[in-house]
Amino acid sequence: TILSFGMALRHSFNAPGSADLLEQAVRRVVASGVRTPDIAAAGIVSVSTIQMTDAVLAALDALSPSHPE
């Protein structure tokens, strides 16, 4: 999952700032109501994993267009 990569950034690549940024982007997307079927409540419209990834990437861009570690 995307958050697993966040863990890799933090613990394997020693990039805690990038991990924080990724986690913040995921929080923003989920807070906006975007859900994949595995985390959507019954009766809630869900998006594909590609659409969720696109939403997280857009949130990352909005948070920091260029974020050097």
Side-chain angles (χ1 to χ4, degrees):
T1 67
I2 292 173
L3 292 176
S4 296
F5 182 64
M7 290 175 60
L9 285 169
R10 185 176 312 284
H11 300 291
S12 297
F13 299 109
N14 195 30
S18 293
D20 290 343
L21 192 64
L22 178 61
E23 291 165 0
Q24 186 177 1
V26 170
R27 280 193 299 274
R28 279 191 180 194
V29 170
V30 171
S32 75
V34 177
R35 301 282 191 278
T36 52
D38 60 320
I39 61 171
I44 300 298
V45 176
S46 60
V47 300
S48 70
T49 54
I50 291 171
Q51 291 168 311
M52 177 63 101
T53 301
D54 289 344
V56 172
L57 290 173
L60 279 169
D61 284 344
L63 287 167
S64 179
S66 61
H67 182 74
E69 186 63 40

